[in-house]
């Protein structure tokens, strides 16, 4: 079946512009996660949704970052007034169950964001 | 903040050799997971080992977990050039919320 799909794959924006990154999780997956991965580092958690509810947004670096999943499937990560330090790969992952231990996460290929 | 610490940071071997990567962590866990990431791609789940398990196998992969030492190892036997990738360990820090805490990864290069 189809995996997690993210778009766009690459995004270049000028400092100060707003960007929106999209994630289509695996159909039927309850949990959805966003991670930020800087070059040469492991992914760092941003936020977590169980269906449409955003249960954890403690990893969002500032109030310029906003995520939503209004119908419990597709999610959008929005970054307002982008800064150069926002340049990174943004990864989306989904898993089948909510609030369960012992589940693997299925990752998309990410959106590589470059802020000029 | 990063949770796991993988070592070595980089590993270079010949095809056919075994590759061993280690991971240390600092908190209690429900499970520890290993992921692979090819350049420019997302992470692919390899193995999940629960805190009450000591060893797990999947094909050419063998994972061990020592909760008393808060460490895990990933062994890839009879490596292939296609195994070239970054390998990450991730833990849940004992939470059920699902978020994972990753280390910085080990870059494995397998030469043909």
């Amino acid at each position: 079946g189809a995996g997690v799909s993210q778009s766009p794959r690459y995004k270049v924006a000028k400092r100060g512009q707003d960007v929106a990154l999209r994630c289509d999780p695996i159909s039927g997956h309850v949990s959805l996660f966003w991670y930020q991965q800087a070059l040469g580092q492991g992914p760092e958690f941003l936020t977590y949704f169980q269906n449409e509810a955003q249960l954890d947004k403690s990893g969002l670096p500032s109030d310029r970052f906003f995520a939503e999943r209004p119908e419990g499937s597709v999610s959008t990560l929005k970054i307002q007034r982008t800064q150069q330090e926002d340049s990174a790969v943004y990864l989306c992952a989904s898993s089948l169950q909510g609030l369960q231990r012992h589940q693997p996460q299925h990752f998309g290929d990410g959106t590589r964001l470059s802020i000029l | 903040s990063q949770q796991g610490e993988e070592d070595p940071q980089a590993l270079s071997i010949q095809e056919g050799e075994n590759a061993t990567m280690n991971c240390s962590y600092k908190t209690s866990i429900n499970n520890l997971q290993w992921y692979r990431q090819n350049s420019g791609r997302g992470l692919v789940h390899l193995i999940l080992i629960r805190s009450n398990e000591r060893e797990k196998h999947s094909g050419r992969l063998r994972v061990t977990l020592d909760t008393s030492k808060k460490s895990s190892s990933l062994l890839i036997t009879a490596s292939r050039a296609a195994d070239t990738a970054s390998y990450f360990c991730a833990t849940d820090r004992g939470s059920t919320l699902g978020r994972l805490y990753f280390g910085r990864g080990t870059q494995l290069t397998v030469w043909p």
Side-chain angles (χ1 to χ4, degrees):
Chain A
V4 177
S5 178
Q6 292 187 246
S7 61
R9 286 280 284 127
Y10 304 92
K11 177 68 178 178
V12 179
K14 292 183 178 179
R15 187 164 56 93
Q17 288 183 330
D18 298 348
V19 297
L21 314 179
R22 177 187 169 106
C23 173
D24 280 89
I26 294 173
S27 179
H29 276 199
V30 169
S31 294
L32 185 146
F33 303 84
W34 284 98
Y35 293 87
Q36 180 189 61
Q37 186 176 25
L39 188 64
Q41 302 291 317
E44 294 247 4
F45 171 82
L46 294 176
T47 187
Y48 162 63
F49 290 87
Q50 182 180 340
N51 294 308
E52 69 278 5
Q54 189 174 20
L55 298 188
D56 186 353
K57 56 181 181 179
S58 62
L60 296 176
S62 77
D63 58 8
R64 297 185 295 103
F65 287 70
F66 172 77
E68 60 183 3
R69 194 187 185 197
E71 296 178 0
S73 56
V74 171
S75 177
T76 302
L77 176 66
K78 298 178 180 177
I79 309 173
Q80 297 177 322
R81 304 181 304 281
T82 51
Q83 303 293 319
Q84 282 192 322
E85 61 263 28
D86 299 335
S87 296
V89 175
Y90 290 84
L91 296 166
C92 176
S94 69
S95 63
L96 183 60
Q97 302 289 340
L99 295 182
Q100 296 254 351
R101 299 176 292 173
H102 312 312
Q103 294 187 83
Q105 294 183 15
H106 303 268
F107 283 79
D109 283 338
T111 293
R112 182 175 297 276
L113 176 64
S114 298
I115 305 300
L116 305 179
Chain B
S1 60
Q2 307 267 286
Q3 162 74 329
E5 290 289 340
E6 292 93 339
D7 77 88
Q9 288 190 334
L11 181 61
S12 186
I13 59 175
Q14 295 290 129
E15 264 190 327
E17 294 181 340
N18 295 341
T20 299
M21 289 160 271
N22 303 296
C23 168
S24 60
Y25 58 92
K26 297 178 182 177
T27 68
S28 61
I29 61 172
N30 293 312
N31 64 65
L32 184 144
Q33 303 183 37
W34 284 91
Y35 288 82
R36 184 188 77 226
Q37 185 177 36
N38 289 83
S39 180
R41 304 296 301 273
L43 281 75
V44 175
H45 180 260
L46 297 176
I47 287 186
L48 182 152
I49 185 165
R50 303 185 182 199
S51 60
N52 61 353
E53 297 176 313
R54 291 296 167 259
E55 189 170 311
K56 206 161 183 181
H57 297 254
S58 177
R60 293 183 296 111
L61 306 181
R62 172 177 168 255
V63 167
T64 62
L65 178 63
D66 186 336
T67 53
S68 67
K69 295 180 179 178
K70 291 187 168 55
S71 68
S72 174
S73 68
L74 170 66
L75 169 67
I76 304 175
T77 60
S79 62
R80 306 166 182 168
D83 295 328
T84 294
S86 292
Y87 291 81
F88 296 91
C89 69
T91 69
D92 56 17
R93 288 192 182 173
S95 170
T96 57
L97 290 179
R99 66 181 284 183
L100 293 177
Y101 298 81
F102 289 85
R104 290 187 173 86
T106 293
Q107 172 60 53
L108 173 67
T109 302
V110 181
W111 298 100

